[in-house]
Amino acid sequence: MELYADVIVDISHEKLDKSFQYRVPERLKSRIQAGMAVKIPFGKANREITGYVTGLTGRAAVSTDRMKEILDINERAETIESKMMRLAAWIHSQYGSTMNQALKTVLPVKAKVQEKQKKTIRLLFEKEAARAYLQEAKRKHYAARVRLLEALLASETKTLDYNAACKSLQITASTLRPLIKDDVLTVDADRIYRGPQIQAEARKRQIPNEQQQIVIRGILEEARNEGRPCLIHGVTGSGKTLVYMELIQSVLDAGRQVIVLIPEIALTYQTVRRFYEYFGDQVSILHSRLSQGERYDQMQQAREGRVKVMIGPRSALFTPFPDLGMVIIDEEHESSYKSETMPRYHAREVAIQRGKMEHAQVVLGSATPSTDSYWKAKNGEYALFSMTQRYEDRPLPKVEIVDLRGELKAGNRSMISEPLAKAMQQRLEKGEQMMLFLNRRGYAGFVSCRSCGYVAKCPHCDVSMSLHNHGRLVCHYCGYETAQYKTCPSCGSPYIGGFKAGTQQIEKMVKTMFPKSRVLRMDFDTTRKKEGHTRILEAFNRQEADILIGTQMIVKGHDFPNVTLVGVLAADLSLNDADFRSGERTFQLVTQAVGRAGRGEVPGEAFVQTYQPDNYSIRAAVSQDYEAFYEEEMAYRALMKYPPAAAMMAVLGGCEDEALLSQGMKYIREYISRLDKKHMLRVIGPAPQAVSRVQDIYRQVIYIRQKDRNVLTALKDKLEEYIEINSGFSNIHIQFDFHI
Ligand code: ADP
Ligand code: ZN
Ligand code: ZN
């Protein structure tokens, strides 16, 4: 069989779409791979140059008699870029996307425009707020604004090059003006900042205590020997940061470089400053407020070895260090490490793959490791290190469960229980600070009984069902439907219904109950403007408020020594997400929230309010017992064959035409059944996705579970082929999503 290679002659975003096809000679067929550097004849004179293979195919794109042949594989041209290309090829094969999408994910975008004239359009709104604004613009038929907002939303950095955008989107200064006035976006002229500049005094280094030393030594030894990924399970306040810094130092001493991933939301001044204090200008940060050009500059600095430690969210993983020695992933359980767009890769998996390819050690850390990682650690695939004591043996906060069902019986319908209110009063009198936490996600469609705590769940999937506008309860895994209950099927009470509570309502309630208290609120509304986050956190840190109310953004990695009380207002909110990971997420959120209290001299106290006080995730979080949680959770996963007990792949379909989508998804389901003659797969769906329609695109999903991940990867390849050759799918957008 003939084999053809798509070859690009320069590794850059612009050149990706300009590939040339070459014939692969017989002698190279078995060795050639995507990502490799090859010698090719180029141009009229057939000058010999180096190109890079982006893909291999059996089908020729042009007439084959004019096609030139690859001369040889260029073994010596193994540059950092070609390493990154091989990583892209791996991502492409694992997660299903085009090779170009994978390449664009790993390669930095070159800044084309001359630095001096550079103008950048920068989205100031958080994405959620911007989407709402976009909807508004659509309704009013502001076509140019719609194009611009859509492009900004599609950009990971939330920025666009001004000149390029004007051209490609056909917008003008008058399109921008009203948006600038509304603070939706801004145009930065020239170079306002050349990357983030943080001035930090070098500080006296802390000395690791015994617990920290044991972990540091253990990880360095693992790195010297087997090099398995290392998981640090360290309780909140145990001092993981110092462990990371000592590890980084030893890698730097060996002349190599380090990538540190932290969730964007924790990428605050506070955290980053600690790294600057230690490593000075060897450190650099990537975050979503950098423009493409600034990002590229940062990557260039890393490539040339001027920067040796790169800190950033998911995409910092693709920093082109010449000799990467370690990748550290802090808060490894965070869902933001998973990409929500194609390719839907998980940073943890890609880090491990990059580590393998470049002989770099991977270190994962969390107070509440993901069940996935913990499971691998228990199986010996990762090396496990535990830190069970807080630094200086500061006690973990005293935690109390408040049964909200009892509050209702006692006639208290507010979201703040008697015991919590009493504790708040005491703190206000003593001048100590507190945090009230609502673990809500974007949508909370579940239905529960306020009298007995009953929650409507799918009888087939054991996940919460969601209440839809048409008044029926729907399972988002299998599509099962039932009528909404008028009375509770468990206790007969009429107090059954959708659960509603927002941060704004809580703020109002607190102000009524404690008129003299100073309250700060942190949620989408108050943080959508630039620096909104930092402003609120810093004001709270300066003790300009007594009470901070917020969603999960307030629990991530912040250290407020004067906070002595934490209230989790309704732990059930995340417990009832329509998702098999809801118990895990609740355990993590409640544990992290509780861990915010008592980090200073004064011991902390926490109240966890819930309608389901007997739920194991909540009980385990309250007693800060990770093992107990893990055992119960894994029993459930094993029983239901959910990851990590089995691998799971979701086939996500999107289409403007609902009937066409249903038809297409049905065909996919049937095709899978035909392939699966031996019944090796557990297939459910198609069903509507949890958010079943976004911007007029209908969305459905099919879930497939199998013990062996490789079986699913092979199935994905088959499905990709099937979809490509069947024209019926040309208007349906299919994505693959692996849960591990
Ligand atoms: P974690 O990330 O594990 O929750 P941190 O790394 O934030 O914990 O550490 C908690 C607190 O303990 C911080 O204020 C940190 O400065 C302090 N700390 C940790 N280890 C040491 C040490 N060896 N010497 C002095 N202070 C330490
Ligand atoms: Zn009930
Ligand atoms: Zn179901």
Side-chain angles (χ1 to χ4, degrees):
M1 202 185 87
E2 286 294 338
L3 190 63
Y4 308 98
D6 296 317
V7 178
I8 52 173
V9 296
D10 178 24
I11 303 177
S12 71
H13 270 243
E14 307 85 73
K15 293 286 160 55
L16 282 181
D17 300 316
K18 288 204 199 107
S19 66
F20 303 90
Q21 223 172 43
Y22 283 80
R23 191 197 314 275
V24 181
E26 198 57 46
R27 69 198 149 83
L28 297 181
K29 272 186 191 165
S30 60
R31 278 168 57 211
I32 199 157
Q33 276 175 21
M36 278 183 171
V38 287
K39 292 179 192 160
I40 47 166
F42 192 72
K44 280 211 183 81
N46 281 334
R47 191 160 48 93
E48 184 185 316
I49 62 165
T50 294
Y52 300 88
V53 179
T54 60
L56 293 161
T57 167
R59 275 183 286 166
V62 293
S63 138
T64 49
D65 39 286
R66 285 208 337 252
M67 203 184 285
K68 296 176 191 175
E69 198 164 81
I70 289 177
L71 303 172
D72 208 348
I73 291 169
N74 190 349
E75 314 272 8
R76 281 190 315 172
E78 170 85 353
T79 58
I80 175 63
E81 279 83 5
S82 64
K83 282 187 209 161
M84 298 308 281
M85 285 189 65
R86 273 199 284 122
L87 188 62
W90 182 84
I91 289 173
H92 165 62
S93 73
Q94 285 295 304
Y95 302 101
S97 68
T98 64
M99 182 64 187
N100 268 14
Q101 281 173 322
L103 278 168
K104 284 186 174 156
T105 305
V106 309
L107 297 176
V109 186
K110 243 180 222 175
K112 265 186 296 182
V113 201
Q114 274 196 346
E115 290 201 351
K116 263 208 234 126
Q117 302 148 358
K118 195 180 144 55
K119 277 210 251 173
T120 308
I121 304 173
R122 191 191 303 271
L123 183 64
L124 296 178
F125 273 20
E126 292 281 344
K127 288 207 167 175
E128 207 77 2
R131 274 191 208 107
Y133 199 94
L134 171 66
Q135 288 303 338
E136 189 67 22
K138 271 190 178 164
R139 237 197 7 239
K140 294 187 178 151
H141 302 289
Y142 291 145
R145 269 187 232 184
V146 168
R147 287 197 298 277
L148 174 62
L149 285 166
E150 280 176 343
L152 276 168
L153 278 164
S155 144
E156 193 198 353
T157 55
K158 302 206 286 187
T159 58
L160 294 172
D161 181 87
Y162 181 90
N163 292 320
C166 285
K167 241 205 221 138
S168 67
L169 302 170
Q170 296 183 301
I171 53 169
T172 60
S174 63
T175 316
L176 293 166
R177 223 170 286 129
L179 295 169
I180 293 169
K181 202 176 130 256
D182 284 355
D183 275 334
V184 177
L185 49 79
T186 167
V187 175
D188 300 328
D190 297 330
R191 304 232 101 202
I192 293 180
Y193 18 55
R194 292 207 49 121
Q197 298 266 318
I198 289 198
Q199 304 298 337
E201 304 273 302
R203 259 216 321 207
K204 226 180 110 220
R205 295 197 169 192
Q206 295 171 335
I207 306 200
N209 63 17
E210 201 180 317
Q211 182 177 251
Q212 288 165 326
Q213 276 180 25
I214 291 171
V215 176
I216 295 163
R217 274 201 303 266
I219 292 176
L220 291 177
E221 193 164 310
E222 180 67 37
R224 270 193 302 272
N225 299 325
E226 284 186 69
R228 287 176 298 173
C230 294
L231 173 64
I232 306 173
H233 173 207
V235 295
T236 51
S238 58
K240 292 184 286 296
T241 316
L242 185 61
V243 171
Y244 299 150
M245 297 208 270
E246 291 290 322
L247 291 172
I248 294 169
Q249 187 59 57
S250 84
V251 176
L252 295 183
D253 289 345
R256 305 179 75 190
Q257 304 89 37
V258 184
I259 294 170
V260 183
L261 301 188
I262 49 184
E264 174 95 34
I265 214 149
L267 205 54
T268 53
Y269 191 77
Q270 224 182 1
T271 333
V272 172
R273 202 180 57 196
R274 290 180 71 180
F275 283 90
Y276 273 87
E277 284 167 355
Y278 244 72
F279 301 110
D281 56 12
Q282 298 180 92
V283 180
S284 194
I285 329 166
L286 288 176
H287 56 70
S288 64
R289 287 183 301 281
L290 297 181
S291 73
Q292 280 194 347
E294 287 163 341
R295 235 185 131 72
Y296 185 77
D297 284 358
Q298 301 275 47
M299 293 294 195
Q300 229 18 48
Q301 301 232 346
R303 194 181 188 287
E304 287 157 13
R306 264 172 290 156
V307 161
K308 299 188 175 68
V309 181
M310 187 64 86
I311 306 175
R314 192 174 70 222
S315 56
L317 185 53
F318 304 114
T319 305
F321 279 128
D323 189 5
L324 181 67
M326 185 175 281
V327 181
I328 294 170
I329 305 185
D330 190 25
E331 312 276 353
E332 67 87 31
H333 62 277
E334 270 291 310
S335 57
S336 62
Y337 288 128
K338 169 91 184 289
S339 166
E340 293 294 319
T341 54
M342 292 281 264
R344 293 174 168 259
Y345 69 91
H346 198 298
R348 201 193 304 133
E349 289 186 306
V350 178
I352 290 169
Q353 179 63 20
R354 184 167 179 194
K356 255 186 219 153
M357 291 165 65
E358 299 179 36
H359 305 289
Q361 178 64 41
V362 175
V363 177
L364 313 170
S366 174
T368 53
S370 60
T371 45
D372 298 332
S373 293
Y374 207 68
W375 190 70
K376 287 187 172 132
K378 288 244 163 175
N379 289 342
E381 206 176 320
Y382 298 170
L384 181 63
F385 298 89
S386 297
M387 292 165 71
T388 52
Q389 301 298 318
R390 275 189 162 184
Y391 177 66
E392 282 190 331
D393 288 326
R394 280 177 195 151
L396 284 163
K398 191 170 133 277
V399 194
E400 207 173 295
I401 291 194
V402 181
D403 186 343
L404 286 175
R405 296 172 305 182
E407 288 289 310
L408 182 76
K409 282 200 192 96
N412 180 9
R413 292 209 190 174
S414 94
M415 282 285 295
I416 293 172
S417 65
E418 280 286 326
L420 177 57
K422 215 180 268 165
M424 289 173 70
Q425 183 61 46
Q426 282 170 4
R427 293 313 187 289
L428 286 171
E429 279 161 16
K430 281 196 264 180
E432 293 168 7
Q433 289 176 294
M434 61 204 101
M435 289 161 101
L436 296 183
F437 169 59
L438 201 60
N439 45 332
R440 205 178 57 131
R441 291 215 302 172
Y443 45 90
F446 72 92
V447 161
S448 65
C449 171
R450 293 222 281 155
S451 188
C452 78
Y454 170 86
V455 176
K457 289 196 169 186
C458 171
H460 308 294
C461 306
D462 205 18
V463 298
S464 302
M465 293 200 286
S466 304
L467 183 61
H468 276 231
N469 291 338
H470 57 284
R472 292 179 71 78
L473 295 168
V474 180
C475 170
H476 288 296
Y477 276 27
C478 71
Y480 173 81
E481 273 193 34
T482 175
Q484 154 72 323
Y485 303 109
K486 300 241 167 5
T487 57
C488 171
S490 172
C491 75
S493 130
Y495 292 110
I496 186 159
F499 196 104
K500 294 187 202 81
T503 39
Q504 247 164 327
Q505 282 147 283
I506 308 279
E507 185 183 18
K508 234 163 82 193
M509 200 180 294
V510 168
K511 281 188 175 150
T512 324
M513 290 171 79
F514 308 104
K516 286 206 206 105
S517 65
R518 298 165 304 162
V519 182
L520 277 171
R521 176 164 63 90
M522 191 158 151
D523 54 24
F524 268 137
D525 294 335
T526 58
T527 57
R528 65 180 187 181
K529 287 203 182 164
K530 203 170 173 178
E531 314 295 334
H533 256 118
T534 321
R535 240 187 350 239
I536 295 170
L537 291 172
E538 281 179 359
F540 192 61
N541 202 23
R542 285 193 303 267
Q543 306 193 16
E544 287 165 20
D546 310 301
I547 306 172
L548 177 62
I549 300 170
T551 51
Q552 45 232 49
M553 19 178 124
I554 66 174
V555 302
K556 299 286 150 61
H558 310 298
D559 210 356
F560 300 113
N562 196 41
V563 169
T564 60
L565 175 67
V566 166
V568 179
L569 296 178
D572 310 66
L573 282 179
S574 56
L575 196 55
N576 297 321
D577 283 343
D579 173 351
F580 74 87
R581 282 190 225 268
S582 61
E584 176 170 353
R585 201 173 313 112
T586 302
F587 174 77
Q588 288 161 351
L589 286 171
V590 173
T591 308
Q592 303 266 356
V594 163
R596 294 302 114 201
R599 291 169 78 91
E601 308 285 307
V602 188
E605 193 181 10
F607 289 86
V608 177
Q609 309 190 142
T610 175
Y611 292 100
Q612 299 170 67
D614 296 324
N615 179 282
Y616 67 89
S617 310
I618 291 175
R619 293 214 80 88
V622 164
S623 53
Q624 306 263 307
D625 188 346
Y626 182 86
E627 288 289 334
F629 158 75
Y630 176 78
E631 292 299 328
E632 285 248 15
E633 184 68 18
M634 274 314 295
Y636 157 71
R637 304 276 177 102
L639 182 72
M640 300 300 292
K641 298 279 187 298
Y642 283 130
M648 179 154 126
M649 175 174 82
V651 182
L652 306 167
C655 183
E656 282 187 0
D657 182 338
E658 196 176 13
L660 190 66
L661 177 63
S662 300
Q663 186 66 257
M665 295 300 277
K666 228 179 77 203
Y667 281 143
I668 291 179
R669 165 89 207 218
E670 279 163 15
Y671 181 67
I672 295 171
S673 304
R674 256 180 286 144
L675 287 178
D676 185 29
K677 289 203 189 67
K678 288 193 204 134
H679 301 287
M680 304 268 289
L681 306 171
R682 283 173 75 134
V683 189
I684 51 174
Q689 289 181 37
V691 181
S692 60
R693 190 158 63 142
V694 176
Q695 295 176 10
D696 292 323
I697 308 283
Y698 290 89
R699 313 202 305 174
Q700 292 189 7
V701 58
I702 297 172
Y703 289 100
I704 306 133
R705 285 171 282 178
Q706 221 290 329
K707 195 138 188 64
D708 185 354
R709 160 81 170 264
N710 295 326
V711 173
L712 293 182
T713 317
L715 175 66
K716 176 215 70 180
D717 293 343
K718 283 251 161 57
L719 287 173
E720 277 182 328
E721 246 172 64
Y722 176 72
I723 288 157
E724 199 185 307
I725 56 176
N726 279 287
S727 57
F729 287 102
S730 53
N731 288 317
I732 302 175
H733 187 58
I734 298 285
Q735 295 192 1
F736 298 92
D737 192 13
F738 283 86
H739 296 264
I740 34 147

